[in-house]
Amino acid sequence: GRTGVPAGLAEERRAKGILTQGAALVAGLVLAAARRGVDLCTGQRMGELIEEDGAVRGVVVHTAEGERVALRSRRAVVLASGGFEWNPALRSDFLPRVPALPVSPPGNEGDGLRLAMRAGARIAGMSEAWWTAAIAVPGQTYDDRPMTRNAVRELAFPGSILVNAAGHRFADEASSYNDLGKAFLAFDQQRHTFPNARAWLITDSAFRRQYPIAGLAPGTPTPSWIPTHSDLGGLAALAGIDPLNLTATVSTFNTHARNGVDPQFERGHNPHDRYNGDGGHQPNPCLGPITTPPFHAVPVTLGINGTKGGVVTDHLGRVLGSSGNPLPGLLACGNVAQSLMGPGYAGSGASLGPALTAAMTVGGEAARQLPAPRT
């Protein structure tokens, strides 16, 4: 909720297991599957596709006990296995060489993509991803892997800026997560470096008292992994930021923020920015000075919500081969398939909306391919 959720209501929803957003969509999918007698096999990994007579007829899975089990289909196999952002080899092969942390479930290792490529599938868009700014909180895990949090509203609230190691701002912090993430990919041809690969969210104690950061509730003690100091020069020394540039950057930003303008990047000058800002703050919901010590430098890195590249499908969700013809028996939807967004981001739901639509189409095509039931 944009105005916050009362603590009592939040606890009640936790106790009842009420879910929202992506978790709620998955819960609905699991419930629908259970009502239809679908078996969900967890802890098993796809090994290879079963191909017979020039068509995909099933898949071999590896169980947690080390067994190989062949699952045969009546007509179609659907790949809906996510992207490859947790696969270091595939990331090294296809994505820009900027250090990045996946924000998605650790199971997204590109298994479906690997199997489809082995079957002769055509791939496209492999250098694109759903980029974001991200914050890794030490000690937090997700499925026993290090957890990284998507950073959005922390960067849009008034009283914060994002700077690189040189102490300079490099983007409109409140812009869409995909566009902001691309700013981390900027390449300095003279120095042959990615100058924005290391970044910090600079805030002050007033910000910490009022707004959350990476799951840290407002007003709670600032953890030791966030550099903190009574002055900006000392903060820069702790974090490894150029102290003179950081001080000058904050001073210039403060002057403009008091007037509600950002002549450098126009932060807060469009509906998207203002939506994620503080609607009760004037004159600009995204701009406020950074003046109240102690000051904080939250480490921020490039994050990946998911990859956009994948197998090429037609309008029915059929996986296409290198010749451009469908591979019989193989369908795909979601991030295992090439995103229709290309390098862009249309707004909230730009990944889930097309994925749900493609899944509905693929479901219809899979049902159409099934043989008629016996009478």
Side-chain angles (χ1 to χ4, degrees), residues 1-259:
R2 281 294 176 261
T3 58
V5 179
L9 179 59
E11 289 302 321
E12 177 185 348
R13 290 180 174 177
R14 289 192 187 96
K16 293 182 177 180
I18 295 176
L19 303 174
T20 63
Q21 299 190 29
L25 282 175
V26 172
L29 173 64
V30 172
L31 180 61
R35 286 173 173 170
R36 288 160 177 78
V38 175
D39 291 328
L40 299 175
C41 305
T42 62
Q44 302 185 17
R45 186 165 197 163
M46 292 187 293
E48 56 268 2
L49 295 174
I50 300 173
E51 298 181 67
E52 296 174 352
D53 301 325
V56 176
R57 300 300 185 190
V59 62
V60 174
V61 298
H62 297 170
T63 70
E65 293 75 27
E67 297 178 323
R68 296 174 75 255
V69 179
L71 302 178
R72 293 184 173 272
S73 68
R74 297 174 70 188
R75 281 292 176 86
V77 170
V78 177
L79 298 176
S81 53
F84 59 87
E85 61 272 15
W86 280 88
N87 188 315
L90 289 176
R91 282 171 50 185
S92 177
D93 286 343
F94 295 109
L95 297 183
R97 296 297 184 91
V98 180
L101 297 175
V103 183
S104 62
N108 291 350
E109 296 186 9
D111 285 9
L113 175 66
R114 174 176 52 82
L115 299 187
M117 291 172 62
R118 189 178 299 170
R122 177 185 169 194
I123 59 174
M126 296 295 289
S127 63
E128 300 292 344
W130 299 102
W131 305 111
T132 186
I135 300 174
V137 181
Q140 291 188 354
T141 58
Y142 185 178
D143 289 348
D144 299 323
R145 302 288 290 274
M147 178 178 177
T148 304
R149 291 178 174 268
N150 196 351
V152 177
R153 299 202 72 194
E154 300 95 327
L155 303 170
F157 286 136
S160 69
I161 58 172
L162 190 65
V163 301
N164 57 21
H168 299 307
R169 293 177 65 208
F170 55 91
D172 169 10
E173 296 92 341
S175 60
S176 78
Y177 62 78
N178 189 64
D179 292 338
L180 177 59
K182 288 183 179 181
F184 287 79
L185 302 175
F187 183 69
D188 186 331
Q189 297 181 4
Q190 305 234 337
R191 295 178 176 82
H192 210 75
T193 61
F194 294 95
N196 305 327
R198 298 176 64 228
W200 291 263
L201 178 68
I202 305 299
T203 68
D204 62 6
S205 59
F207 187 97
R208 280 289 291 119
R209 286 194 300 268
Q210 190 168 0
Y211 303 116
I213 298 177
L216 300 173
T220 56
T222 301
S224 58
W225 59 270
I226 299 179
T228 300
H229 203 276
S230 58
D231 65 76
L232 290 171
L235 180 70
L238 287 175
I241 306 171
D242 185 291
L244 294 179
N245 287 344
L246 177 62
T247 303
T249 295
V250 172
S251 177
T252 300
F253 177 81
N254 287 347
T255 299
H256 295 302
R258 292 186 181 96
N259 298 321

